[in-house]
Amino acid sequence: MRLRHADGTTVHVAYCTNVHAGDTLDEVLAHLDRFVLPVRHHLATDLLGVGLWLAAPAARELAGDAGATDRLRDALSRRGLETVTLNAFPYRGFQEAVVKQRVYHPDWSQAERLEYTIDCAAVLARLLPDDAARGSVSTLPFAWRTPWDEGQHTAALGNLARLAEALEGIEARTGRTVRVGLEPEPGCVVETSAEAVERLAGVDTDRIGVSLDLCHLAVGFEDPPAVLGRLGGAGLPVTKAQVSAAVHAEDPADPATRRALAEFDEVRFLHQVRGRHPDGHVDARDDLPDAMAGTDPLAVRGPRGETVPWRVHFHVPLDLDPEPPLTATRDHTRSTLDALVGGDRAVTDHLEVETYTWGVLPDAARPRTDDDLSRRIAGEVAWVRDQLLDLGLKEIP
């Protein structure tokens, strides 16, 4: 799906396939007919963007076989699908029974992470539509914050320098530009936009920038215009924005709110929690069970008895609220979209819907069939399209 910004930029809208289990190329191809094509049909659109997630084995297979990559591109095209972005954050096994902190391995101090990302960039350069301006690949923000020392950080910066050289080489060989964006996430070495500016100082900003996950921004209570001003001031490009929403609990001391939050306590993914005090201070816990119980639960009241709202890193459907009294951070999502593409110029041209948690939502909200999942993903993409139309973008037939 493509829309035109007033400045002439083509803004690509896709949905991310990391919601679908499968590490092999055969599984990726099977997903096209099982899930992706039905999403396009539900949207009644002739062209649907797909942000592919390729696990490391599939990325390596494709990177070593140009003919196989061309066949994948042809398979996409024949189904009215296109790919301008890849998600290279999870290395493999992203929909296994328990993921949690394993998603941060290998980290950017390790050669495996560099090799995987280069594979993804090389594949994407061959998948890009002929008229696409560039491709984007999202990746983890170095690592989980512990253990992480200056030696590891130096090694990671060295790997990012090697990545930039590889991206330059890919462009020289193919004529296609691919940029990689590190994705700030709660609990990681780079959690906030300020940490992105600090930790990414000196990288090649022609090739490397930031991928903004709007759920992560909301969990950190970050102000969208301030974020973009900070990144822009440092010369860090927003290579992609992952359009997503978090869980918001206005009064986490309320018994009904706590019962509703407990429904989101599941074992597959990590659900970091942040609570903002009236003075702006943000408290943190690494997972929802840690916030709600244990030896050091997250504060629900400030020093004078004020309510301390919580936000939970749980990607919830963009077009639906959780069961009350919980809400989703959709207002924050809208304001971030406004900051990204609602002004005189488009700050980014790649938007990717990333709700990978459909299979672990509270039972009443969970899709029951493949078609139900495809229909509900289509509802999210339609919600994003409608927000962009409200901001003045025009859908390209």
Side-chain angles (χ1 to χ4, degrees), residues 168-214:
E168 184 177 7
I170 289 169
E171 184 169 355
R173 292 192 302 273
T174 67
R176 309 313 303 271
T177 299
V178 176
R179 300 187 298 177
V180 173
L182 279 74
E183 181 184 324
E185 177 170 322
C188 291
V189 173
V190 173
E191 173 165 342
T192 65
S193 56
E195 290 172 344
V197 169
E198 175 190 356
R199 292 289 197 167
L200 291 172
V203 301
D204 180 353
T205 54
D206 289 334
R207 312 284 176 185
I208 296 171
V210 174
S211 176
L212 290 180
D213 187 305
L214 308 195

Side-chain angles (χ1 to χ4, degrees), residues 15 42 58-59 62 69 105 131 144 221 234 247 262 264 295 304 324 395:
Y15 95 85
H42 283 302
L62 287 167
T69 306
H105 298 284
D131 60 348
W144 187 249
F221 293 90
V247 172
F264 287 87
T295 59
R304 292 184 294 276
E395 194 164 4

Side-chain angles (χ1 to χ4, degrees), residues 23 47 52 134 156 162 166 270 289 293 332 374:
D23 283 10
L47 182 67
L52 289 178
R134 63 182 66 83
R162 286 183 275 277
L270 198 63
H332 188 279
S374 296

Side-chain angles (χ1 to χ4, degrees), residues 31-103:
H31 292 335
L32 298 183
D33 288 323
R34 182 179 175 189
F35 300 110
V36 186
L37 190 56
V39 171
R40 183 174 74 77
H41 289 158
H42 283 302
L43 285 163
T45 184
D46 293 333
L47 182 67
L48 175 65
V50 185
L52 289 178
W53 172 58
L54 301 173
R60 174 51 54 94
E61 179 182 351
L62 287 167
D65 186 346
T69 306
D70 290 341
R71 288 192 293 276
L72 173 57
R73 183 185 181 194
D74 182 63
L76 291 163
S77 179
R78 284 187 284 105
R79 291 165 174 81
L81 310 171
E82 67 173 7
T83 294
V84 301
T85 189
L86 298 185
N87 187 326
F89 195 130
Y91 188 76
R92 63 187 306 172
F94 189 56
Q95 292 290 342
E96 290 181 351
V98 179
V99 178
K100 296 290 184 180
Q101 292 184 357
R102 288 195 295 118
V103 75

Side-chain angles (χ1 to χ4, degrees), residues 52-54 86-91 113 116-117 120 137-140 240:
L52 289 178
W53 172 58
L54 301 173
L86 298 185
N87 187 326
F89 195 130
Y91 188 76
R113 175 60 62 175
Y116 170 50
T117 310
C120 286
V137 177
S138 52
T139 185
L140 74 163
K240 171 169 76 173

Side-chain angles (χ1 to χ4, degrees), residues 132-176:
R134 63 182 66 83
S136 64
V137 177
S138 52
T139 185
L140 74 163
F142 290 114
W144 187 249
R145 69 182 184 280
T146 57
W148 190 255
D149 57 31
E150 285 307 310
Q152 289 170 294
H153 197 68
T154 298
L157 289 175
N159 279 335
L160 288 182
R162 286 183 275 277
L163 172 65
E165 292 173 359
L167 295 174
E168 184 177 7
I170 289 169
E171 184 169 355
R173 292 192 302 273
T174 67
R176 309 313 303 271

